[in-house]
Amino acid sequence: MPMTVSSTAPSVPVETNRTTLLARIPDLAAEIAKGAARRDLERELPHEAFKLFKEAGLGALRIPTALGGPGGSVLDYIEMVMTLAAADSNVAHALRSHFNFTEALLLNPHSSVDRTQLARVLSGKLFGGAHTEQGTKRPGDVTTRLTKSGESYRLNGRKWYATGTAFADFASFSAKDDDDQLVSVLLPIDRKGISILDDWDGMGQRLTASGGVLLDDVEVLPHEISRRGLSTLVGRHTSTLRQLHLAASMAGAVRGALTEGTDYVRRQARSAAHSAAETANADPFVQKILGEIAANSFAVDTLIRESARALDRTAATFAGDDPRILETALVESALTTARTQIVASQLALTAATNVFELGGGSATSRHLNLDRHWRNIRTVLNHNPLLHKARVVGDYYINGTTTHLEEGKVF
């Protein structure tokens, strides 16, 4: 059934002190963690979590101080994603479109339209969107149409992978116009004709509302239309950022597995029948497994942070006037994130699998729902082809090829 949504939530005052804003994250994560396992079992979308996120004002984290924001770095933002993902990776993942939007906003020239969107971000509004479609020959093909109708336009189509749009106030959708050119429209999600279907049926990330959006004769005003390009310099930067956001969601899921695995050993697990230890927490094999999970989590976090620093360096080069420096930074950050994903994916899956080595049959209890961490990690990793990433990185080292590092799509 289509969901009822509203973009009329009250605005929240923007917190311009970066330190104060970042200090809100641990308490927010603790609230989001409450009932996370149950929500996954019962398929209860985390609307309350997004209400709390908006109230905390964290959606404006990346807006620079010169534009009225707190001036958080990419590293600040990615650390926040990992912390929230440790509480519930669905919530962290569903914020990806919003931070992709704000990143493009702060790096693009600031027209009157941009200033309007900036004011919305600073007031606490969240942005979602959907560009992919099902049933097309290629993943990037678009059949949604934007047609002229008097002084306005009409939008018709069906989108997929609308991650986070159910929790947003505004959403962007790609379409082909009357000249068969690719455009993007940005609309309030309570606009008549927009129906968020919440029909995502993936085994993991069940609560991201990543399913379809039906666009039925939706009115679009001229100022809500823009050209869409992935290969622009800003588009390449935000493409890499989107990839790192996914990886940070995965990293948080590993932290979640570590936390809940540790709690399971302390509260419930028993030593194996042939163990020399009286209790699970004294069993050297249990200690070894938990130590390895902790080491994997640490390694994944460290890789993610290094990629975030590379993206911070890239963002900083947009303020300069040397295109060669910017080009080098864009390739380096794309390469760094790709290398991170290749290694971190293996460590994350291993960690989430080894949680079940901490105990016996009770570790598989549906009540504990420990398997959701593996399911969520595996689902995140299916978003983009890791085998292709490894090949592209190898081609770069052998032949210096940067083609796919420059396209603003896969990486």
Side-chain angles (χ1 to χ4, degrees):
M1 292 290 293
M3 299 178 60
T4 301
V5 294
S6 173
S7 63
T8 58
S11 299
V12 295
V14 62
E15 174 56 66
T16 57
N17 185 291
R18 170 181 166 274
T19 302
T20 300
L21 192 60
L22 294 176
R24 296 174 179 173
I25 296 172
D27 287 344
L28 174 63
E31 285 298 314
I32 291 173
K34 294 176 181 177
R38 178 194 58 77
R39 286 196 300 268
D40 179 83
L41 288 172
E42 299 177 5
R43 208 178 187 284
E44 177 186 312
L45 294 182
H47 286 286
E48 180 64 19
F50 284 91
K51 176 177 176 289
L52 295 173
F53 180 85
K54 292 170 78 169
E55 289 174 353
L58 287 160
L61 178 60
R62 278 287 289 142
I63 304 302
T65 55
L67 296 176
S73 64
V74 173
L75 181 58
D76 290 335
Y77 144 56
I78 291 298
E79 287 280 9
M80 177 190 70
V81 172
M82 290 195 290
T83 300
L84 297 182
D88 186 339
S89 63
N90 292 277
V91 174
H93 182 178
L95 288 165
R96 187 169 76 137
S97 288
H98 174 78
F99 281 99
N100 174 77
F101 179 83
T102 62
E103 193 76 13
L105 192 63
L106 66 92
L107 293 178
N108 271 324
H110 302 294
S111 66
S112 60
V113 173
D114 293 325
R115 287 192 292 272
T116 297
Q117 308 308 340
L118 179 64
R120 287 170 174 166
V121 172
L122 291 172
S123 72
K125 301 301 184 185
L126 292 182
F127 290 76
H131 299 282
T132 304
E133 299 179 11
Q134 290 179 306
T136 59
K137 291 182 179 180
R138 301 282 295 176
D141 290 348
V142 172
T143 62
T144 299
R145 304 301 303 191
L146 180 71
T147 56
K148 192 80 167 62
S149 177
E151 296 301 313
S152 62
Y153 298 79
R154 294 288 167 172
L155 183 68
N156 287 279
R158 187 185 179 111
K159 291 298 186 181
W160 189 243
Y161 293 131
T163 306
T165 302
F167 316 111
D169 301 287
F170 296 88
S172 60
F173 305 103
S174 57
K176 291 290 186 69
D177 64 14
D178 290 331
D179 297 322
D180 212 34
Q181 296 299 304
L182 187 65
V183 296
S184 179
V185 300
L186 181 65
L187 306 172
I189 62 169
D190 60 355
R191 178 74 56 84
K192 182 181 178 181
I194 299 177
S195 300
I196 300 174
L197 304 177
D198 187 28
D199 53 351
W200 169 244
D201 64 350
M203 69 175 181
Q205 298 300 84
R206 294 172 174 175
L207 309 182
T208 57
S210 290
V213 175
L214 182 63
L215 304 166
D216 183 14
D217 202 34
V218 182
E219 184 180 27
V220 179
L221 303 178
H223 72 270
E224 296 172 326
I225 305 168
S226 63
R227 295 292 171 185
R228 185 165 185 256
L230 295 173
S231 60
T232 65
L233 297 178
V234 172
R236 288 168 58 188
H237 171 70
T238 55
S239 175
T240 302
L241 192 69
R242 290 195 302 274
Q243 292 299 301
L244 188 59
H245 187 118
L246 279 178
S249 299
M250 173 192 71
V254 179
R255 290 190 196 180
L258 173 61
T259 298
E260 293 180 26
T262 303
D263 187 56
Y264 166 73
V265 170
R266 289 172 175 168
R267 290 190 304 104
Q268 184 175 342
R270 296 183 296 182
S271 58
H274 297 88
S275 174
E278 290 292 324
T279 60
N281 59 10
D283 190 316
F285 293 105
V286 172
Q287 292 171 351
K288 174 181 181 294
I289 290 294
L290 196 59
E292 289 175 349
I293 295 171
N296 282 8
S297 180
F298 172 78
V300 170
D301 285 358
T302 301
L303 288 166
I304 300 294
R305 290 180 181 119
E306 184 58 33
S307 291
R309 293 185 184 98
L311 276 158
D312 265 322
R313 291 191 291 271
T314 300
T317 62
F318 276 90
D321 56 5
D322 190 333
R324 294 171 300 178
I325 294 176
L326 177 55
E327 179 63 32
T328 299
L330 286 166
V331 170
E332 180 58 29
S333 58
L335 184 64
T336 300
T337 296
R339 290 180 299 201
T340 288
Q341 289 172 293
I342 292 165
V343 177
S345 64
Q346 300 171 48
L347 298 175
L349 287 171
T350 297
T353 299
N354 284 346
V355 165
F356 298 99
E357 301 293 342
L358 295 173
S362 65
T364 68
S365 167
R366 295 302 294 135
H367 173 70
L368 294 175
N369 200 12
L370 291 174
D371 62 296
R372 78 185 190 282
H373 299 301
W374 186 92
R375 288 188 286 103
N376 289 343
I377 290 167
R378 182 63 267 177
T379 300
V380 164
L381 293 176
N382 268 60
H383 279 63
N384 297 98
L386 288 168
L387 293 176
H388 183 59
K389 290 181 190 296
R391 186 202 66 74
V392 166
V393 171
D395 192 13
Y396 172 82
Y397 275 94
I398 295 169
N399 303 308
T401 305
T402 60
T403 304
H404 293 289
L405 295 170
E406 298 174 1
E407 66 182 359
K409 293 180 181 178
V410 175
F411 294 92

